């Protein structure tokens, strides 16, 4: 029934679906006539991997480079440095040309309205991808209708509508349907529910869970809402100012965060209990400007346990618990930080 | 800030150079041998050859341009084919007159336009708005040379209140004797800026009035006077830009009005030059007016920078 | 308006810019009218006192002239003594020789490279000139030429003293010095020539009555009318015919007088022109409905069927008397191979305005339309008057200019030299005859005429030559202008002469 | 493949009717225009003019070039001449109809060509970005540094008079603003997520431009171009008025205005008729483009 | 203890926007009182009329097209009848407002100091210099680091958190009795949001202000509110003390909202959702507006708008099932 087949699993279950190595993106600043402007270090060397079938959640504050990272992975922008390996093959090589890669990875954006062409009926928007990949229209349209059904929109009622005739939640469903149209193996969800009302957010989250099972998907789920990430992710990656602060299994991160930033982030969540209101803000100040980030550990300017070493050396991502790594000198043996574990005996 | 201004000035230099290239090319797009475009057809051979040498017309284009630019930078815009006088001298006199005319028309147009535009924005959707907008559309739609003609008949011939033509006796002076010559052409010329300013001001002011910060200002209980100040400062950069453009357009676009009113400015000079195919004059006038325009844009940009703190980015 | 202004005559010319003021005016005869005779004198001047007949020459800077009875090629001019230039220097015979050097002696330091050529028509006959003594000047022509004084009258005498003070002709134009009834007070480039009366003028009877005269170029006919009606000027040249009725109704004087003028298409007679075919030339002349045109021109012109008016002593007795006969025209065209299926296509240069050109666009369009009825398709190449003057000095087919079959404009026929410069092969050699009409019979008759010093005999010969010109349909004759100008009622005492030039010294401007 | 219809029950309820009635984008624009009386009237006037102009050879009462001195400068309404006759006795109505052909042609052609050229270059610059953008936009800046009328007049003047040169110079004048507008519209569209997601499907640049960029940028560029028509009409007639446009006897409004000018004292209404035609046309184009812009604004 | 004075009193408040095309019934019969020093949170989905209600209190809805009816008193002044001049004297002095987007809510071309000072000059008639001195104190009050330098800063030169603090400083410049906050933390990052919330809470207590706080985030409401009002389609569908509403909401919509809010402990479970979409405010509903989406809908729900009824004083909901819900809790 679905004429575009899923791409085969090449690397086997043990091969991570996606490996990101030292990915960097520096945007030159506009305005310099002679190119004398600085640059925004939006993403500055991140490494992580996503296993087949899991949901990796990325959290971080606004401007920390989440969207840039997702666009890099999607190959929508050229990385300054680093490489992406999908199912064992380097993206963009002859083994995995870009066009083929793009069939396997698709993306859903935050702004549901901006991600739909306002001049196309939604069925056309959904059918666009398959048609690019060689399906003819007469088969792509019925397929679009199936996908609409899959995301809970009755084709008879919605297929011919234009984006402005839908509510935000409905539009986001269309976006998801569109992303699924190529039968991808992985979906990058860049804050897919941030713009939605709570009641609609729940609908979409539920649906994403269902679709994941139904289409055997792997998710890269980006959000700044810790609760949402905790709800959907198997593993969580915490970003701060273009770098990875901490990454690990969701329970490990939420129960025992090891990076002071993650701790602060968790402590910043409203309590949901009027009797146990927060009294002290966990950290003060705003995230710094990525144009000239602090030296060493980028979090040190707001960190309560910052010491001299944090300014001079960049903390490596070190294993702090099984599968759980954090980039904080306080966790690195013999880093010079007073809280660092002593040399193992 | 200063750095930004310097940068902006630096940016104007390549523009100015490119503009000069376009002006330079005017001689070369004219059909035939460029030498025919800069000397009268009945010039003796040896003189023609002399001019050809002087302008390097026997050399490749880039060199010709360099030679020409060298002349221009020394204030030599060549000689008029018709009068054989140096173009620069007449042009300065003419440009001064055109400037008087354009500036007056601009000031008048800006005043009326800003007034009508703000009125329309504050009373958006009412008959005041509709009236102002009709006026504005009328202003930009009317062929002003036609309007000028009608005005002359009405005000000069029938009512005999203003002179019909010319810029008054002798050199220009800001006295009533001369100003009365200015009124009709300036009025005619001002209908486009009135229309455009009304539209722009209406647009920008109503956009500003719809912005969140205006709600904040109202929420602070500010008096209308203070609110106006906020609106003005926010609208100023855009309006300044339009005003700068308009003044430039008036300087460069007064050709028809000057012809109708025999106003001895660059416009009527250009018109005469076009008929005589007096290319050096066309070239010189175009160059001077375009340079003025480049300067004007530069000044407007710098003024915008001073008003709007957001323009200067680190 | 102050009393000072009341003594001022303000004139709107039709030119698009100030005529040159260095003694070689451009802008055709209008240039001579305003930037010539008021400021300068020639050896001979024009006599404006008799207004009932065509104006003729009168002594100017030369008190008399005669041809050397022994050698008919030598003319002797007696130079007026004690005449002062505007700069105060006294004119000598040497000064006059110096002036001829300006035009003719290419090696002279003050030879006017830029302007001399445009006056070749007038100076080209002179092959030699010299000072005889302190009161006499000799001019020599290549062959006897009885009408030389008419040509020489155009050579305006300027002050060498002033020139030497200034050093070049370009700047001289800004502060010229001649010995005419008016002195240049100020030149406002592109705006006005301000003249003041020359109290020291040698002809006491012609010291101007007005204190000042201001000349403004206003090429646009409507603007001229508006300027007059709003009291900005007192005098306008050539008001558009359509505004004359309203001007009269508003109390202005519209003066008309016949003057030696004709509006024509000068045919291109060179070898690549279709109009070498006489049948076509005739057809056009028969196919033009001149009478209807009078309506358009509202009493400011009369039909023309020859270079000279029918009443002129030079008209002669041509066989072809052109009256409107479209059938004959069509027949002629058909004979020449043109007809409804194959219209005759002509490209004609037409000026937008200019001295003596009347309302060229309207006349041109009328002619175009009238000829369309006999299947002649005319396209116009509309140019500025100055451009056309340059074209007229070029030979057709030379240079980068497009092919044109005719140039349409108005031209003077004030004296017999005009006939000479337009229709003779001799003139053609001087490069003044664009049309290049060369006819052996005409040349023969004209040659004879110009060597005849008996006026009556000469007139007869020219009339005979003119008949040939008409019979050959040398040009398309359109109308004779009646020289309209509109004057404010404040201007009194103006007597319009039957001439291209006018006298501004006798009139006054009332308060 | 499994059936794609197994959905969680709680979302199917979301398929309640959307916020608005089902309607295509252009249908929406159409219905908004239909409600806008002024735009409709202007459109109507222009349509009537257009038809009169196009069908002039069939419906014009007289020959535009055929006059008669016997009936020159007759007033409006004179004996079978609805709008009187001109200075050569040609029927004004006829000449205005024919004149419109040239005025419209000379007014609209440059905008159309500039729309094609400037629009393409602008879209190219906006879509490709980078060096190409830089190159095109800097070149545009240069032409922007000339006041438009001056540029048109200077180019026309250098090339010499004639309808072709007039069109050429005006085209050159209108290309830069069209490049600027289409560049900025395209740049903003290009950065929208739907273009990104189209790129993410692996579609070729050409397909993306065709399906996602063009339909979304053509509207605003087109509306902008219509505002230029009014400017162009005035400029074109101005050039003719200066003698840089069509040649007599070809009727053209600017030219007619020029030649009829001298009759303004005897037949004032007659002499202003071509001016009124220019004014009305330009006014209608202006109002029409205002209306269109309003109707195309999705926020309404 | 002095008896708390009523800062805001609304009875059957209706706000509609009339234009040529349609009439939008944004607020449809809202009743509430706000006492001094009380914090009321209005909770609701997008478009439910929260902002319109706030703006109505300040008289800030666009005059030309707004039609208000019912009773609305701000510090004793009848807002519906008051002249613009009268309201302008109250605004900024008795009641101030802060907004969601501090970037757009601040005038971009004036310095922060200037924007604070002009309010003080307006309402207290002091010199500009004195007002600037006060502005500095205020910036310190809202904990802006290097306040002196920031006085001369333009909004775009500040980070989001600082901008919102500056906005608060403007609002507090004349020590108002009432602060209206329209989603002031929604646009901020989590770590900044909590800072601002705590700051607001502290200032509210120190200055003794009444606050109406609009949000759609239950957690935020939990941090700051004394009472919560849940708004749906222009009506308050539930109102009560924060603890009660957060623990056991009475109205099915409020229950749905609570269930739909993702929080710890729901991992792996399906979230409760509210199907459907809110009604179109262009037709004034004559029945329970929530009925089409309500799992407990009955015929009675479709006949009339349910009255506000409460199981105990201080709590109420517009639902015919209130009693059952209270029981279940
Ligand atoms: N095209 C670009 N040019 C220049 N700077 C950019 C560009 N895209 C992003 N940036 C900058 O890079 C940084 C990271 O941006 P990014 O959009 O990846 O952040 P984010 O984590 O997704 O934030 P948000 O939560 O606000 O979406 C920001 O400072 C942003 O301003
Ligand atoms: N000036 C206005 N003119 C017309 N309708 C308006 C106006 N302001 C608000 N509305 C409408 O009133 C309704 C309520 O709007 P309001 O801004 O109060 O919602 P809200 O609850 O604040 O939503 P959000 O959470 O999105 O801010 C909406 O349907 C809105 O479209
Ligand atoms: Mg993002
Ligand atoms: Mg709101």
């Amino acid at each position: 029934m679905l004429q575009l087949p899923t791409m085969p699993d090449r690397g086997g279950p043990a091969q991570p679906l996606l490996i990101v190595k030292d990915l960097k993106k520096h945007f030159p600043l506009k305005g310099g006539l002679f190119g004398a402007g600085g640059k925004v270090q939006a993403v500055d060397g991140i490494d992580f991997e996503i296993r087949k079938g899991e949901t990796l959640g990325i959290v971080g504050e606004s401007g920390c480079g989440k969207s840039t990272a997702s666009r890099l992975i999607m190959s929508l922008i050229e990385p300054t440095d680093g490489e992406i390996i999908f199912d064992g093959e380097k993206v963009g090589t002859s083994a995995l040309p870009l066009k083929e890669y793009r069939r396997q990875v698709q993306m859903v954006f935050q702004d549901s309205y901006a991600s739909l062409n306002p001049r196309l009926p939604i069925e056309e928007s959904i059918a666009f991808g398959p048609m690019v990949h060689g399906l003819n229209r007469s088969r792509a349209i019925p397929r679009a209708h199936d996908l609409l059904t899959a995301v809970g929109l009755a084709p008879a009622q919605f297929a011919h509508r234009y984006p402005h005739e839908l509510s935000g939640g409905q539009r986001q469903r269309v976006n998801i349907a569109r992303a699924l149209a190529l039968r991808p193996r992985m979906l990058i969800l860049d804050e897919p529910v941030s713009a939605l009302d709570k009641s609609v957010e729940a609908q979409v989250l539920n649906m994403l869970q269902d679709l994941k099972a139904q289409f055997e998907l792997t998710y890269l789920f980006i959000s700044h809402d810790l609760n949402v990430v905790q709800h959907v992710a198997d593993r969580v990656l915490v970003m701060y100012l273009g770098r990875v602060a901490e990454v690990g299994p969701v329970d490990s991160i939420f129960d025992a965060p090891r990076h002071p930033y993650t701790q602060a982030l968790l402590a910043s969540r409203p309590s949901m209990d009027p009797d146990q209101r927060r009294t002290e803000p966990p950290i003060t100040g705003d995230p710094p400007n990525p144009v000239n980030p602090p030296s060493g550990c980028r979090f040190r300017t707001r960190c309560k346990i910052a010491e001299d070493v944090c300014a001079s050396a960049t903390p490596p991502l070190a294993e702090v618990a099984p599968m759980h790594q954090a980039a904080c000198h306080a966790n690195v043996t013999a880093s010079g930080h007073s809280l660092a574990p002593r040399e193992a005996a | 800030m200063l750095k930004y201004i310097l940068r902006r000035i630096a940016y104007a230099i390549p523009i100015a150079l490119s503009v000069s290239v376009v002006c330079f090319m005017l001689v070369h797009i004219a059909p035939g041998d460029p030498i025919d475009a800069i000397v009268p057809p009945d010039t003796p051979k040896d003189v023609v050859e002399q001019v050809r040498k002087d302008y390097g017309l026997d050399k490749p284009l880039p060199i010709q341009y360099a030679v020409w630019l060298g002349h221009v930078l020394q204030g030599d815009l060549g000689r008029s084919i018709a009068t054989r006088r140096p173009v620069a001298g007449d042009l300065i006199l003419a440009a001064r007159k055109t400037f008087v005319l354009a500036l007056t028309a601009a000031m008048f147009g800006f005043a009326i336009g800003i007034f009508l535009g703000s009125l329309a924005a504050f009373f958006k959707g009412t008959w005041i708005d509709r009236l102002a907008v009709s006026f504005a559309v009328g202003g930009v739609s009317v062929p002003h040379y036609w309007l000028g003609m009608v005005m002359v008949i009405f005000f000069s011939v029938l009512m005999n209140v203003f002179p019909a033509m010319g810029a008054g006796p002798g050199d220009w002076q800001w006295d009533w004797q001369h100003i009365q010559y200015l009124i009709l052409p300036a009025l005619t010329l001002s209908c486009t800026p009135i229309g455009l300013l009304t539209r722009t001001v209406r647009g920008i002011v109503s956009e500003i009035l719809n912005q969140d910060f205006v709600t904040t200002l109202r929420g602070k209980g500010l008096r209308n006077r203070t609110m106006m100040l906020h609106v003005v400062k926010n609208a100023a950069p855009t309006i300044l830009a339009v005003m700068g453009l308009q003044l430039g357009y008036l300087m460069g676009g007064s050709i028809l009005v000057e012809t109708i009113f025999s106003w001895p400015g660059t416009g009527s000079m250009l018109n005469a030059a076009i008929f005589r195919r007096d290319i050096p004059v066309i070239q010189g006038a175009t160059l001077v007016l375009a340079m003025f325009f480049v300067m004007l844009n530069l000044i407007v940009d710098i003024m915008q920078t001073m008003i709007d703190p957001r323009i200067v980015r680190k | 308006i102050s009393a000072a202004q009341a003594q001022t005559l303000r004139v709107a010319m039709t030119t698009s810019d100030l005529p040159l003021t260095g003694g070689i005016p451009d802008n055709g005869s209008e240039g001579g009218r305003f930037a010539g005779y008021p400021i300068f004198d020639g050896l001979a001047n024009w006599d404006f006192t008799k207004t009932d007949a065509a104006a003729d020459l009168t002594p100017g800077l030369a008190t008399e002239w005669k041809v050397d009875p022994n050698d008919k090629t030598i003319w002797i001019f007696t130079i007026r003594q004690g005449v002062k230039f505007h700069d105060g220097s006294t004119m000598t015979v040497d000064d006059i020789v110096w002036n001829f050097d300006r035009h003719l002696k290419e090696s002279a330091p003050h030879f006017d490279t830029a302007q001399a050529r445009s006056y070749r028509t007038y100076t080209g006959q002179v092959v030699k000139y010299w000072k005889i003594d302190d009161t006499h000047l000799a001019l020599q022509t290549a062959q006897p030429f009885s009408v030389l004084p008419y040509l020489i009258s155009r050579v305006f005498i300027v002050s060498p003293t002033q020139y030497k003070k200034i050093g070049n002709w370009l700047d001289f134009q800004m502060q010229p010095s001649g010995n005419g009834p008016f002195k240049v007070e100020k030149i406002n480039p592109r705006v006005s020539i301000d003249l003041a009366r020359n109290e020291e003028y040698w002809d006491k009877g012609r010291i101007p009555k007005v204190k000042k005269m201001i000349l403004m170029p206003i090429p646009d006919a409507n603007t001229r009318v508006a300027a007059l009606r709003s009291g900005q000027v007192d005098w306008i040249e050539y008001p558009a015919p359509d505004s004359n009725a309203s001007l009269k109704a508003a109390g202005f004087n519209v003066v008309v007088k016949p003057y030696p003028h004709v509006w024509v298409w000068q045919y291109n007679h060179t070898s690549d022109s279709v109009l070498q075919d006489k049948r076509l030339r005739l057809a056009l002349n028969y196919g033009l409905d001149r009478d209807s045109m009078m309506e358009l021109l509202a009493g400011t012109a009369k039909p023309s069927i020859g270079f000279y008016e029918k009443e002129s002593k030079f008209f002669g007795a041509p066989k072809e008397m052109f009256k409107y006969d479209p059938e004959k025209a069509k027949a002629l065209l058909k004979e020449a191979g043109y007809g409804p299926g194959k219209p005759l296509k002509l490209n004609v240069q037409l000026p937008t305005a200019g001295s003596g050109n009347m309302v060229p666009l309207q006349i041109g369009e009328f002619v175009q339309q009238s000829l369309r009825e006999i299947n002649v398709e005319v396209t116009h190449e509309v140019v500025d008057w100055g451009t056309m003057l340059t074209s007229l000095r070029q030979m057709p087919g030379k240079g980068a200019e497009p092919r044109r079959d005719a140039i349409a404009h108005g031209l003077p026929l004030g004296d017999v030299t005009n006939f000479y410069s337009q229709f003779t092969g001799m003139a053609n050699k001087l490069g003044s005859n664009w049309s290049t009409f060369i006819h052996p019979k005409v040349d023969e008759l004209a040659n004879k005429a110009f060597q005849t010093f008996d006026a009556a005999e000469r007139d007869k010969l020219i009339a005979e030559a003119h008949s040939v010109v008409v019979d050959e349909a040398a040009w398309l004759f359109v109308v004779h202008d009646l020289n309209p100008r509109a004057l404010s009622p404040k201007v009194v005492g103006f007597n319009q002469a039957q001439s291209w030039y006018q006298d501004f010294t006798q009139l006054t401007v009332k308060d | 493949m499994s059936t794609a219809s197994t959905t969680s029950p709680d979302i199917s309820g979301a398929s309640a009717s959307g916020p608005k009635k089902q309607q295509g984008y252009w249908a929406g624009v159409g219905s908004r225009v239909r409600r806008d009386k002024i735009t409709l009237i202007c459109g109507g006037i222009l349509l009537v003019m257009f038809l009169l102009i196009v069908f002039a050879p069939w419906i014009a009462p007289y020959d535009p070039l055929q006059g008669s001195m016997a009936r020159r400068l007759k007033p409006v309404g004179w004996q079978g001449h609805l709008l009187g006759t001109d200075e050569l006795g040609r029927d004004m109505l006829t000449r205005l109809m024919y004149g419109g052909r040239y005025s419209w042609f000379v007014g609209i052609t440059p905008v159309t060509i500039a729309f094609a050229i400037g629009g393409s270059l602008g879209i190219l610059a906006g879509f490709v970005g980078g060096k190409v953008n830089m190159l095109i936009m800097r070149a545009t800046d240069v032409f922007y540094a000339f006041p438009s009328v001056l540029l048109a007049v200077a180019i026309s003047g250098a090339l010499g008079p004639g309808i072709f040169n007039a069109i050429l110079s005006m085209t050159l004048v209108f290309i830069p603003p069209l490049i600027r507008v289409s560049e900025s519209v395209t740049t903003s569209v290009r950065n929208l997520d739907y273009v990104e997601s189209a790129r993410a499907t692996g579609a070729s640049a050409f397909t993306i431009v065709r399906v996602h960029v063009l339909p979304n940028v053509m509207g605003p560029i087109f509306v902008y171009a219509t505002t230029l028509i009014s400017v162009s009409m005035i400029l074109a007639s101005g050039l003719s008025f200066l003698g840089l446009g069509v040649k007599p006897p070809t009727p053209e409004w600017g030219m007619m205005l020029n030649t009829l000018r001298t009759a303004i004292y005897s037949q004032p209404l007659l002499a202003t008729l071509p001016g009124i035609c220019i004014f009305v046309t330009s006014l209608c184009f202006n109002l029409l483009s205002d209306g269109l812009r309003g109707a195309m604004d999705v926020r309404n | 203890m002095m008896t708390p004075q009523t800062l805001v009193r609304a009875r059957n408040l209706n706000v509609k926007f009339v234009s040529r095309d349609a009439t939008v019934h944004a607020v449809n019969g809202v009743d509430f009182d706000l006492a001094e020093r009380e914090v009321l949170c209005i909770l609701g989905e997008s478009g439910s009329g929260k902002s319109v209600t706030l703006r109505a209190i300040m008289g800030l809805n666009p005059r030309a097209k707004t039609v208000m009816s019912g009773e609305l008193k701000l510090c004793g002044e009848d807002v519906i009848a008051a002249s613009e001049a009268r309201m302008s004297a109250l605004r900024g002095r008795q009641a101030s407002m802060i907004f969601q987007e501090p970037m757009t809510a601040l005038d971009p071309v004036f310095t922060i100091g200037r924007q604070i000072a002009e309010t003080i000059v307006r309402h207290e008639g002091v010199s500009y210099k004195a007002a600037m001195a006060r502005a500095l104190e205020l910036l310190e009050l809202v904990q802006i680091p290097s306040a002196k330098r920031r006085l001369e800063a333009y909004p775009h030169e500040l980070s989001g958190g600082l901008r919102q603090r500056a906005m608060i400083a403007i609002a507090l410049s004349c020590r108002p009795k009432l602060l209206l906050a329209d989603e002031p933390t929604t646009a901020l990052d989590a770590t900044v949001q909590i800072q601002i919330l705590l700051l607001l809470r502290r200032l509210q207590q120190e200055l003794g202000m009444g606050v109406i706080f609009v949000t759609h985030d239950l957690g935020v409401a939990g941090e700051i509110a004394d009472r919560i009002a849940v708004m749906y389609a222009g009506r308050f569908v539930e109102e009560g003390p924060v603890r009660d509403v957060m623990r056991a909401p009475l109205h099915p919509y409020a229950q749905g909202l609570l269930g739909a809010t993702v929080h710890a402990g729901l991992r792996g479970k399906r979230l409760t959702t509210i199907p459907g979409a809110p009604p179109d405010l262009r037709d004034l509903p004559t029945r329970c507006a929530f009925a089409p989406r309500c799992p407990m809908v009955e015929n009675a729900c479709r006949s009339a708008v349910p009255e506000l009824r409460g199981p105990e004083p201080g709590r109420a909901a517009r639902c015919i099932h209130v009693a059952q819900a209270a029981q279940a809790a």
Side-chain angles (χ1 to χ4, degrees), chain C residues 321-509:
Chain C
M321 292 293 278
F322 301 123
K323 58 176 191 299
Y324 185 46
D325 189 349
E327 293 318 310
K328 181 165 182 182
K330 280 183 202 160
L332 282 162
L333 278 163
K334 197 169 164 209
E335 214 181 304
Y338 296 96
K342 188 184 173 225
L344 172 62
K345 290 189 178 152
L346 298 174
N347 181 36
V348 179
Q349 194 179 50
L350 187 71
T352 51
S355 170
N357 288 332
M358 309 174 69
V359 275
L361 289 180
Q362 272 107 326
I363 299 179
E365 240 186 288
F366 179 88
V367 174
Q368 187 179 43
Q369 187 185 297
S370 185
L371 294 182
R372 224 162 56 91
E373 287 173 21
I374 55 164
N375 300 310
V376 176
E377 269 178 26
V378 178
T379 47
H380 282 138
E381 180 195 345
V382 183
V383 295
D384 171 75
W385 174 221
T387 311
M388 171 171 290
L389 287 180
T390 318
S391 297
L392 281 169
R393 290 199 292 270
Q394 297 271 80
M395 284 300 104
K398 298 264 171 61
E401 309 219 317
R403 186 190 72 91
R404 38 185 100 85
D405 303 298
I407 291 184
H409 66 127
L411 66 164
L413 36 89
D415 55 70
V416 285
T417 63
N418 292 118
F419 187 86
Y420 150 79
S421 58
Q422 299 298 348
F423 297 108
T424 64
M426 301 92 84
N428 196 48
K429 285 194 207 99
L430 297 172
S432 68
N433 183 354
W434 178 86
S435 180
T436 326
F437 171 81
I438 300 172
H439 193 278
K441 183 84 186 291
V442 173
D443 270 9
E444 186 199 316
L445 288 166
N447 246 332
K448 223 155 125 205
F450 295 136
Q451 294 177 26
T452 305
F453 287 83
D454 172 1
E457 177 64 16
R458 185 178 70 202
D459 292 355
K460 226 186 87 203
L461 286 165
I462 291 190
E464 211 173 310
H466 180 256
S467 308
V468 180
V469 165
V470 174
D471 287 340
E472 281 294 315
W475 295 347
L476 174 61
F477 306 108
V478 184
V479 289
H480 295 295
D481 188 9
L482 291 178
N483 198 16
R485 46 177 58 99
L487 275 52
S488 150
K490 288 188 298 185
V491 177
V492 290
F494 171 62
N495 282 316
Q496 180 152 311
Q498 296 198 21
S499 165
W500 278 72
Y501 310 111
Q502 295 296 336
D503 188 12
F504 302 96
T505 62
Q506 304 303 311
L507 56 86
T508 52
V509 180

Side-chain angles (χ1 to χ4, degrees), chain A residues 61-68 70-71 110 190-191 222 224:
Chain A
E61 283 173 293
S62 175
C64 73
K66 305 182 296 291
S67 301
T68 307
S70 62
R71 284 181 151 78
Q110 168 174 0
D190 187 1
E191 314 218 17
I222 296 173
H224 60 247

